[in-house]
Amino acid sequence: MTQIVKMKGMNKYFGKLHVLKDIDLTVEQGEVVVIIGASGSGKSTLIRCVNGLEEYESGTLEVDGQQLAPKSGNPKALAEIRKEVGMVFQQFNLFPHLTVKRNIMLAPKKVKDAPETVANATAERLLNRVGIGNQADKYPSQLSGGQQQRVAIARALAMEPRLMLFDEPTSALDPEMIGEVLDVMRELAKEGMTMMVV
């Protein structure tokens, strides 16, 4: 099996606070890895290192065959990794001035030079996949939290990632909305998406 993520002896500090201590971790293609632990134990920091949102100090990290050096010594490798890794945050991070469909179309058009028609078709297909195809022309503020998080998942999927990172994707949701997001995540897992979930 292909290893999508390989960490060996990875360390991360915030000042004198040693947040990640000699982390060894491999994630195989198609595997779903759930990271659990107490608040402040470094779970989110760990997955943020995987796509270069946080820099680590020592050890090694390889994502989808690309070596990500400590202190991000290689911007080209970082750009390649970010093309292959989707990230879903706690707070959705949707652009409020864009419709749901435009939020999803943006990255494929800007990063992958997808034509408007292709990006549009992809956005519609993904919105249907996450169960909110009828919300395409609404703005994020017009949606429930669960719907916004499903848009965020569709937006990450629009880049056709080989790995999806989820940073506490249901923590900002009301209890009745958690199930609809977890259902989408379960479907992704069944389809063989490689996932790291905090």
Side-chain angles (χ1 to χ4, degrees):
M1 269 224 152
T2 307
Q3 291 182 336
I4 300 292
V5 178
K6 276 199 287 194
M7 295 177 188
K8 190 79 175 155
M10 197 173 83
N11 288 278
K12 165 72 181 168
Y13 295 83
F14 287 114
K16 291 183 178 179
L17 182 62
H18 195 175
V19 181
L20 301 177
K21 299 176 184 177
D22 297 318
I23 303 294
D24 293 338
L25 173 70
T26 57
V27 180
E28 305 279 344
Q29 185 173 345
E31 191 175 17
V32 177
V33 174
V34 178
I35 302 157
I36 59 173
S39 181
S41 62
K43 305 178 302 293
S44 295
T45 300
L46 180 77
I47 65 166
R48 289 171 66 88
C49 286
V50 172
N51 71 352
L53 289 175
E54 292 286 352
E55 297 177 335
Y56 67 100
E57 273 74 30
S58 64
T60 60
L61 172 59
E62 192 176 296
V63 181
D64 199 22
Q66 291 282 339
Q67 188 76 36
L68 187 57
K71 295 294 186 183
S72 291
N74 187 347
K76 188 176 179 211
L78 186 55
E80 287 304 310
I81 286 169
R82 287 186 176 154
K83 284 182 186 176
E84 301 297 330
V85 178
M87 178 104 180
V88 178
F89 300 89
Q90 294 177 37
Q91 298 295 337
F92 326 133
N93 292 345
L94 300 174
F95 294 108
H97 64 291
L98 297 178
T99 64
V100 163
K101 187 193 290 185
R102 288 276 164 202
N103 262 282
I104 295 167
M105 292 171 63
L106 186 64
K109 286 176 65 179
K110 295 280 186 194
V111 178
K112 292 196 170 181
D113 294 321
E116 178 88 9
T117 53
V118 172
N120 185 64
T122 299
E124 288 179 356
R125 175 178 55 80
L126 290 171
L127 284 170
N128 285 323
R129 183 177 176 186
V130 298
I132 51 171
N134 59 342
Q135 307 295 327
D137 296 319
K138 290 188 177 176
Y139 288 87
S141 62
Q142 296 173 294
L143 303 181
S144 71
Q147 289 172 325
Q148 288 185 59
Q149 193 61 294
R150 286 187 280 167
V151 172
I153 292 170
R155 180 183 58 186
L157 290 172
M159 291 297 288
E160 301 175 336
R162 288 171 50 83
L163 169 66
M164 287 281 285
L165 306 175
F166 292 88
D167 188 4
E168 299 190 45
T170 60
S171 67
L173 302 179
D174 293 332
E176 64 272 13
M177 295 175 187
I178 290 172
E180 60 193 49
V181 173
L182 291 179
D183 287 345
V184 172
M185 293 173 67
R186 283 189 199 99
E187 282 303 310
L188 288 175
K190 280 184 199 167
E191 292 165 13
M193 175 61 74
T194 309
M195 297 160 63
M196 294 178 72
V197 184
V198 170

